[in-house]
Amino acid sequence: MDTKELLKKVRKIEIKTRRLSDHIFSGEYHTSFKGRGMTFSEVRQYQYGDDIRAIDWNVTARYNEAHVKVFEEERELTMMLMVDISGSESFGSKKEFKKDIVTEIAATMAFSATQNNDKIGLILFSDQIELYIPPKKGRSHVLRIIRELIEFQPQSQKTDISQALKFLSSTQKKKAIVFMISDFMSEDYEQTLKIASKKHDITGIRVFDIREEKMPNIGMVSMLDAETGQTQLIDTSSKTIRLNYEKYYRDKVNYFKETFSKSGSGIVNTRVDESYVTKLLGYFKSR
């Protein structure tokens, strides 16, 4: 993709997703995610209705009158976007590929964070860390993230969610709002998610295509596995093959749902032909 075409595409995504974040998401995002914690503001005299647990006993003893500590919410947050760019993200049976929807969701979340003056970082992963952009503020930083989401070419086509979560835990020492966007066709990440979710507020956004759920009966078909690069001749008229495929897919989806639920992390499921706006708004409101 040449520079002119890339800038045109970045601008198109910015216009669409910024409008969404300005008018819809920024308020929902602000109320859904609390600040990192409470920072000390001042000490004042105790008033009726104050929480007695906030009493500052040292100051109370000094003035012989009850005083309480006042805290304020620390508003500035760090958002980390963790985006799966493995081979399976290039799948698409309708007008758009999963990769296009993933890019739009990530851009919308980034602009929502910018509206709240928060920092945004990016981790692009396959079965390795493909790219890491440390958290920063500002529009130009978000545009750089969108550029990378559009044109970055992964070195590997495979997926390892556990590896990505380990990297998150090692690089982000303070609590972050984390959106992991993937089809979650991976396994063995229960333990790493459990560890990461103790420190971070994590939401898994599963983006999938309707054609991935069931294998159509269309006879002998040459199929390319996007993650291994291998081509196989598959007899889709075999009921056993179709059922095995559906079980494999269902097992991966159930593992994602159960693992994220057990760790206390959020879950969003959105199909490429559905409105991700509706899904995300519903999720924010439910928090």
Side-chain angles (χ1 to χ4, degrees), residues 1-41:
M1 192 184 295
D2 61 35
T3 309
K4 193 176 178 182
E5 192 184 341
L6 174 64
L7 290 172
K8 194 176 172 184
K9 202 162 183 182
V10 171
R11 182 68 183 139
K12 188 179 175 184
I13 288 173
E14 182 192 10
I15 290 166
K16 180 177 180 178
T17 58
R18 190 158 199 165
R19 191 167 63 241
L20 286 173
S21 64
D22 284 356
H23 299 301
I24 303 170
F25 285 109
S26 58
E28 297 296 339
Y29 167 83
H30 181 95
T31 52
S32 295
F33 299 100
K34 303 295 180 191
R36 271 202 299 270
M38 306 302 282
T39 54
F40 175 72
S41 175

Side-chain angles (χ1 to χ4, degrees), residues 89-104:
E89 293 308 313
S90 297
F91 185 88
S93 62
K94 300 275 182 178
K95 292 179 186 173
E96 294 181 279
F97 292 107
K98 283 192 285 186
K99 186 177 187 284
D100 300 326
I101 302 300
V102 165
T103 299
E104 283 191 21

Side-chain angles (χ1 to χ4, degrees), residues 44-156:
R44 60 161 172 76
Q45 281 187 323
Y46 176 85
Q47 295 171 1
Y48 177 75
D50 284 340
D51 188 340
I52 59 168
R53 290 172 296 183
I55 291 175
D56 186 323
W57 295 107
N58 290 331
V59 177
T60 297
R62 197 182 311 146
Y63 291 101
N64 205 23
E65 193 175 6
H67 281 70
V68 292
K69 290 177 181 175
V70 179
F71 294 86
E72 287 180 350
E73 184 187 347
E74 192 177 350
R75 185 51 238 171
E76 185 186 281
L77 300 168
T78 294
M79 177 195 283
M80 286 304 302
L81 295 168
M82 300 182 68
V83 181
D84 179 357
I85 56 168
S86 62
S88 60
E89 293 308 313
S90 297
F91 185 88
S93 62
K94 300 275 182 178
K95 292 179 186 173
E96 294 181 279
F97 292 107
K98 283 192 285 186
K99 186 177 187 284
D100 300 326
I101 302 300
V102 165
T103 299
E104 283 191 21
I105 291 172
T108 303
M109 302 315 299
F111 280 121
S112 298
T114 299
Q115 287 284 93
N116 284 280
N117 201 33
D118 294 339
K119 293 178 183 174
I120 305 108
L122 177 70
I123 297 170
L124 297 181
F125 69 93
S126 53
D127 62 344
Q128 62 192 44
I129 302 306
E130 299 278 356
L131 177 71
Y132 171 55
I133 300 178
K136 271 177 67 178
K137 294 181 182 182
R139 176 178 174 266
S140 61
H141 180 67
V142 173
L143 293 180
R144 185 200 165 186
I145 284 173
I146 296 171
R147 278 200 307 275
E148 296 293 0
L149 286 164
I150 292 170
E151 69 167 358
F152 191 89
Q153 295 299 315
Q155 291 181 359
S156 173

